[in-house]
Amino acid sequence: MTKIAVVGTGYVGAVVATSLASIGHQVVGVEIDRARLESLQAGIVPFHEPGLSELVTAQLEKASLSFTDSYETAIGGADVAFLCVGTPPSPDGSPDTTYVENAARSISEWITSPMVVVTKSTVPIGSGRWLNDLIADDRASVVSNPEFLREGTALNDFLHPDRVVLGSNDPGAIATMVEVYRPILEQTFTGGRPDLRPGLVRTNLETAEIVKYAANAFLAMKISFINEVAMIADAVGADVTEVATAIGMDQRIGSSFLGAGIGWGGSCFGKDLAALRATAHRHGVESLITGAVVAVNDHQIDFVAEKVSKHIDLAGAEIALLGLAFKPGTDDLRDAPSLKLARHLLDSGATVTAYDPVVGAVSGMDDLKVAPSWRDAVAGADATVVITEWDEFLSINLAALAESMDGALFVDARNAFDAAAATDAGLSYVGVGRAAPTS
Ligand code: UGA
């Protein structure tokens, strides 16, 4: 058992703290936002993440997890401190590290014994070095341990990762972290299942820091790549979903993250691509690929909007959007393609009514109506556009949906539906890069 402090209990911090407590460590989460602190102390997670509330409650009851706003309580005597505070983007795309700096200063104020300080926040490449200097205490060593969890499957991703990356210039600090991760590395809580054991990468600080950016940039690149192929597939009458299946069978390519659609959103890909680009620029390196990945993604909104405007006049049209969250399993609207498409359609004179199983309201977009059910959203619509592939939508009776719409246009912007079934239900089906059976 290791005594661990987790500084910042936002999305990543809450998952990290709770998961570490669940594998046998003694964890204290530090949160200075009073509302969030009180909520977590009561076992209430202030965002949507499947299974997390239950696990927080269980660990609070076992007293392996607690939350405080006192650095003194959390840092004094801790063996390891994870920095999980936010790094919002600055105007030039590089992450703002003010919260990381403040947390590091507080740690240096309250440190009482040897401690490993771990960067979990996605910090700019080179941060580990200045953090060592900033903390300026021989008892502290910095380790970069990038996080790869996805919203919606965060607990599973933390407890059963593909790899654990530990970067430090102090071998002793890495050894401490290997002990922290031992239950995960050996999957002791699953009976040691060899198929679930992650890889372990021990490396230096800068390498670990760049791994995070390179991983996210590569995943976003796969999606933008297949979206560009989708555009070509549409033009030549091919089906991109079959192209993705076929190329994905090549183990050098791999089948995941080849889902063409309206493009990627969320708080990570855009921010990390911008940060990698900014780092490259600062070092005089021209990052051609990251620019192209973003440009394709931006264009994907117009590409989907054109699928509607090709069939109906947007001015005065009633359009239903199914899904607002940037992906299923989350209530997150950051960088959500739904809002960009809604803006485009609204600015073109359409009336837009959205429905999402989890997102009940959208602040700052008064002209976007949010309906309480998919039935209310599609009633009288000239076109329905599916933006988020929630399970609830996949079980919709398409004949009933077609019946309650005024028009028949059904744009499946996630290629989540069976085109023939939609056509049989009386809908005019349009996918992304899929040869339409009706055309
Ligand atoms: C992403 C990475 O997948 C995580 O490994 C990483 O830890 C995380 O960022 C982070 O940096 O914190 P996340 O943003 O939660 O995780 O979501 P993803 O599941 O990666 O999806 C991102 C976007 O890509 C979504 O809008 C999704 O709809 C879209 N997507 C995904 C596609 O358009 N096609 C696909 O084939 C897959």
Side-chain angles (χ1 to χ4, degrees):
M1 187 198 77
T2 309
K3 275 190 76 184
I4 294 174
V6 174
V7 181
T9 58
Y11 188 80
V12 171
V15 171
V16 168
T18 312
S19 303
L20 289 170
S22 79
I23 58 169
H25 299 300
Q26 188 64 42
V27 184
V28 182
V30 186
E31 181 54 65
I32 54 173
D33 179 294
R34 183 131 287 272
R36 185 179 285 266
L37 174 67
E38 286 173 2
S39 169
L40 287 167
Q41 283 172 330
I44 299 160
V45 177
F47 51 83
H48 180 79
E49 181 59 35
L52 188 57
S53 283
E54 294 82 339
L55 199 60
V56 168
T57 305
Q59 298 310 316
L60 287 174
E61 279 170 8
K62 278 172 59 188
S64 54
L65 176 66
S66 60
F67 296 99
T68 178
D69 57 3
S70 159
Y71 273 90
E72 184 179 7
T73 307
I75 300 300
D79 307 302
V80 176
F82 282 81
L83 296 180
C84 297
V85 294
T87 50
S90 312
D92 74 343
S94 60
D96 175 353
T97 55
T98 310
Y99 298 124
V100 177
E101 290 165 40
N102 291 345
R105 280 199 189 90
S106 300
I107 288 173
S108 61
E109 199 175 324
W110 297 109
I111 187 169
T112 55
S113 50
M115 175 187 279
V116 177
V117 178
V118 187
T119 52
K120 253 312 179 202
S121 306
T122 303
V123 291
I125 299 155
S127 299
R129 277 188 190 271
W130 62 249
L131 271 170
N132 261 325
D133 294 345
L134 192 152
I135 297 171
D137 190 311
D138 288 347
R139 293 168 295 181
S141 277
V142 175
V143 170
S144 165
N145 171 217
E147 187 47 66
F148 305 110
L149 53 83
R150 291 163 295 176
E151 292 186 28
T153 54
L155 290 175
N156 186 65
D157 290 344
F158 189 86
L159 294 169
H160 309 293
D162 291 328
R163 76 294 207 192
V164 172
V165 178
L166 300 171
S168 180
N169 305 332
D170 174 2
I174 291 192
T176 302
M177 291 303 293
V178 168
E179 287 315 309
V180 168
Y181 275 103
R182 191 165 297 286
I184 289 173
L185 292 169
E186 295 179 359
Q187 289 291 300
T188 43
F189 50 94
T190 60
R193 275 180 54 181
D195 56 318
L196 293 178
R197 290 184 190 185
L200 171 62
V201 179
R202 294 179 174 90
T203 183
N204 65 20
L205 271 171
E206 288 76 9
T207 308
E209 287 167 349
I210 201 171
V211 163
K212 170 66 190 226
Y213 290 104
N216 273 357
F218 193 87
L219 291 171
M221 180 181 73
K222 276 188 100 172
I223 301 168
S224 283
F225 175 81
I226 202 69
N227 279 334
E228 189 166 293
V229 174
M231 233 181 319
I232 302 168
D234 260 351
V236 303
D239 187 328
V240 75
T241 62
E242 289 171 17
V243 175
T245 303
I247 65 172
M249 285 174 182
D250 184 332
Q251 288 185 12
R252 294 170 302 174
I253 295 173
S255 58
S256 55
F257 276 65
L258 288 180
I262 193 166
W264 44 264
S267 66
C268 306
F269 285 177
K271 181 165 89 89
D272 290 355
L273 279 158
L276 188 57
R277 222 168 141 61
T279 302
H281 189 73
R282 239 190 344 270
H283 289 83
V285 177
E286 197 180 354
S287 173
L288 297 172
I289 289 182
T290 53
V293 170
V294 173
V296 170
N297 201 55
D298 289 345
H299 179 256
Q300 215 59 16
I301 304 294
D302 301 339
F303 184 47
V304 171
E306 276 163 27
K307 287 179 180 292
V308 183
S309 63
K310 213 156 86 182
H311 297 277
I312 59 172
D313 187 359
L314 293 181
E318 303 240 346
I319 299 173
L321 298 189
L322 296 187
L324 285 166
F326 82 95
K327 67 172 185 176
T330 174
D331 58 357
D332 201 336
L333 289 176
R334 285 176 290 178
D335 220 2
S338 61
L339 301 187
K340 295 180 194 168
L341 180 73
R343 187 73 273 142
H344 183 119
L345 298 173
L346 288 162
D347 290 348
S348 307
T351 302
V352 181
T353 309
Y355 165 69
D356 187 280
V358 174
V359 181
V362 177
S363 60
M365 263 181 98
D366 295 343
D367 45 355
L368 171 65
K369 297 185 204 164
V370 181
S373 72
W374 67 262
R375 283 191 178 76
D376 289 297
V378 305
D382 299 302
T384 293
V385 186
V386 180
I387 312 280
T388 319
E389 65 280 32
W390 285 100
D391 281 347
E392 180 184 336
F393 300 154
L394 303 182
S395 56
I396 285 177
N397 177 333
L398 292 180
L401 182 142
E403 182 78 6
S404 67
M405 286 175 64
D406 260 8
L409 182 61
F410 185 76
V411 177
D412 178 6
R414 288 291 181 186
N415 287 346
F417 288 81
D418 180 59
T423 308
D424 289 348
L427 293 166
S428 175
Y429 180 89
V430 179
V432 178
R434 289 174 110 178
T438 46
S439 58

